[in-house]
Every structure is written in structure tokens, then in C-alpha cells.
């Protein structure tokens, strides 16, 4: 439908497009991008600022589609066809895809578009191992130095993961899961560490090739570990904290 935009509602979806771009796999309908393709009025941000905003929103939506499996491993997607679904030009989509290529989520296919990377269980285990090497010692150090009232402030984040898990909402669970880990690690006061750990965490959330969607029970169990960890941190039970932290990363392998 020419001129239609994703922006009337965060959950808005375009109907199935008739034309496919550049002989690629039919693209999944992606989450809505508020304001995409609109023209700024008087006093609004400059076109350059708006372009960065649209690109960022497209990037977030594509990352969500990767986590949910809507962008299937091994399939090729063109920027023009995806842009038509978002109601934007191919340019911000291509720029967002190039960022995903730098992150290893997709690879460039000349004259066609971008192929979603096929991943293996070994790659997932390697990511879990690297995350553990970074996060476990930091969390254990924080458990010895951060007062209980600071940990209490993280309850809303733990509850958000539990709520998303109970709904079986994989995309929102992935987002809230990363938010919880970022908040914990941010207490170390090292922004570089938080950024590196968050990048590794995001990569670990991409689905495996032919992997079935995560079961709701698995999400609920993972979210419960967040709550148990906070309880142990607030109680300053270092033995339980160490056990929970190591188990959390071991189960991710």
C-alpha cells in the first residue's frame, strides 16, 4: 500500500507486500517504527538528527526481529523490501544492516542484500564462556561492596523480566534481561565494561539455526534466577550469590 507508514501504534504492522525486493526471501513484518518517513515541522530536529533517529529505530526493530527469529538464519533480505515494510527509504535500513554486519548478525550478499548469520551451539557456548569471564568476577566483587539498598532499586527490572517471561514474550524478555544485567554491571562504575558485556549479551540472544523458539517455562526459570540473585545480594549471602551467578552462566551454554 503506497505511502503507508508504521507509526500509528507501536505494534502496527504492514500487510503482506506483493513485491519482493531483489530476489530475496520474503521478509517478515517487522515492529512499527514511530515517525518513520515523516517530515519534520517548524522547529523540529534537523534532517540529519531525524535520519539518525530513524536509523536507530530501524536498528532496534531489526535486532528485535533477529531475537524473535522473524529474520531467519541463512535467509537473505534486501534493504528496499524491508524499507517498504517500515515505510522508509532503503538508506536507513541499509545503514542499520551494515551496523548489524559489524556486530556479526548478518553478512553482505553483493547485489542482493544481507544474509542472517547461521550460528552453532559451539558459538553460543563460547559467548557464554566469555560473558562469564567478564561478569562473574565483577558481580562477586559488587556483592561484597554494594549496600543492600542499592540492590533493592533493581527489583523493578527483575520484575520486568518475570512479567515478559510469564507472557512468553521473547523479544521483550531479551530486552529486559539485558537491562537487568546492564544495571547490575553499571554499579561497577565502568562504562566500557557495561558496553562490552551488553554487546556479548545481545549476540548470545540471536537464535541458533533451526532452533525452536524458547519455551515459556525456560524464560520463567531464567527470570526466577534474577529474583533469587537479588534476594541473595540484599541478604549479603555471598555463598548463594556465587552459586547463582556461576549457575546462571553455566545454564546459558
Amino acid at each position: 500500500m503506497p505511502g503507508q507508514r508504521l507509526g500509528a501504534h507501536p505494534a502496527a504492522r504492514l500487510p503482506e507486500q506483493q513485491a519482493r525486493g531483489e530476489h530475496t526471501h520474503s521478509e517478515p513484518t517487522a515492529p512499527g517504527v514511530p515517525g518513520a518517513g515523516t517530515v519534520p515541522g517548524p522547529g523540529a530536529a534537523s534532517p540529519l538528527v531525524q535520519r539518525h533517529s530513524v536509523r536507530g529505530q530501524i536498528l532496534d526493530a531489526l535486532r528485535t526481529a533477529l531475537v524473535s527469529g522473524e529474520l531467519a538464519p541463512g535467509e537473505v533480505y534486501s534493504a528496499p523490501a524491508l524499507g517498504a515494510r517500515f515505510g522508509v527509504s532503503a538508506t536507513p535500513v541499509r545503514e542499520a544492516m551494515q551496523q548489524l554486519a559489524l556486530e556479526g548478525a548478518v553478512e553482505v550478499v553483493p547485489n542482493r542484500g544481507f544474509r542472517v548469520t547461521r550460528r552453532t551451539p559451539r558459538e553460543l557456548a563460547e559467548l557464554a564462556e566469555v560473558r562469564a569471564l567478564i561478569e562473574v568476577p565483577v558481580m562477586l566483587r559488587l556483592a561484597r561492596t554494594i549496600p543492600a539498598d542499592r540492590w533493592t532499586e533493581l527489583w523493578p527490572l527483575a520484575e520486568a523480566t518475570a512479567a515478559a517471561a510469564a507472557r512468553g514474550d521473547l523479544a521483550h524478555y531479551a530486552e529486559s534481561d539485558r537491562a537487568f544485567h546492564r544495571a547490575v554491571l553499571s554499579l561497577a562504575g565502568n562504562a566500557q565494561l557495561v558496553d562490552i558485556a551488553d554487546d556479548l549479551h545481545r549476540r548470545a540472544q540471536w537464535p541458533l539455526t533451526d532452533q525452536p523458539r524458547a519455551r515459556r517455562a525456560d524464560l520463567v526459570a531464567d527470570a526466577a534466577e534474577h529474583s533469587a540473585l537479588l534476594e541473595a545480594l540484599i541478604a549479603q549471602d555471598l555463598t548463594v550469590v556465587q552459586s547463582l551467578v556461576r549457575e546462571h552462566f553455566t545454564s546459558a551454554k
Side-chain angles (χ1 to χ4, degrees), residues 156-202:
L157 296 175
E159 291 169 350
T161 63
R167 297 193 305 270
D169 188 336
L170 182 57
H172 282 91
Y173 181 80
E175 182 180 339
S176 59
D177 184 28
R178 290 201 318 276
F180 177 83
H181 281 260
R182 283 197 306 270
V184 171
L185 295 177
S186 68
L187 294 175
N190 187 328
Q192 298 301 317
L193 180 147
V194 174
D195 289 343
I196 291 172
D198 189 55
D199 179 64
L200 291 169
H201 195 167
R202 178 182 289 109

Side-chain angles (χ1 to χ4, degrees), residues 9-247:
H9 187 276
R13 305 275 180 151
L14 277 178
E16 189 68 20
Q17 299 291 328
Q18 297 299 317
R20 299 299 180 189
E22 302 178 26
H23 303 290
T24 60
H25 182 269
S26 58
E27 288 77 6
T29 304
V33 180
T38 59
V39 178
S46 70
L48 180 61
V49 172
Q50 185 192 31
R51 176 177 171 181
H52 277 283
S53 176
V54 172
R55 181 179 62 183
Q57 292 174 64
I58 295 293
L59 180 59
D60 288 343
L62 290 174
R63 283 172 171 163
T64 297
L66 281 168
V67 171
S68 67
E70 290 182 84
L71 292 180
E75 299 296 344
V76 178
Y77 300 90
S78 75
L82 285 175
R85 291 177 178 277
F86 285 111
V88 299
S89 71
T91 299
V93 176
R94 189 174 290 111
E95 291 173 344
M97 281 292 198
Q98 288 169 346
Q99 175 60 38
L100 291 175
L102 292 175
E103 297 175 4
V106 301
E107 57 186 6
V108 178
V109 181
N111 302 317
R112 293 188 64 198
F114 301 85
R115 178 182 290 112
V116 178
T117 304
R118 291 184 181 274
R119 300 172 62 250
T120 66
R122 177 173 180 174
E123 290 174 316
L124 190 63
E126 289 174 348
L127 283 168
E129 182 178 3
V130 176
R131 286 186 63 208
L133 289 173
I134 295 175
E135 295 193 41
V136 169
V138 173
M139 288 185 178
L140 294 180
R141 174 166 59 85
L142 292 175
R144 298 183 179 92
T145 58
I146 300 298
D149 59 335
R150 295 295 303 279
W151 294 118
T152 302
E153 296 172 1
L154 303 189
W155 270 119
L157 296 175
E159 291 169 350
T161 63
R167 297 193 305 270
D169 188 336
L170 182 57
H172 282 91
Y173 181 80
E175 182 180 339
S176 59
D177 184 28
R178 290 201 318 276
F180 177 83
H181 281 260
R182 283 197 306 270
V184 171
L185 295 177
S186 68
L187 294 175
N190 187 328
Q192 298 301 317
L193 180 147
V194 174
D195 289 343
I196 291 172
D198 189 55
D199 179 64
L200 291 169
H201 195 167
R202 178 182 289 109
R203 293 172 186 244
Q205 292 175 331
W206 302 334
L208 296 173
T209 303
D210 301 325
Q211 181 186 40
R213 288 178 60 85
R215 297 180 305 168
R216 181 178 303 184
D218 294 331
L219 298 181
V220 170
D222 194 62
E225 292 180 2
H226 293 159
S227 297
L229 175 61
L230 275 186
E231 290 175 352
L233 288 166
I234 292 170
Q236 297 182 324
D237 190 332
L238 299 184
T239 300
V240 174
V241 168
Q242 181 168 327
S243 175
L244 287 171
V245 168
R246 295 189 185 282
E247 181 180 349

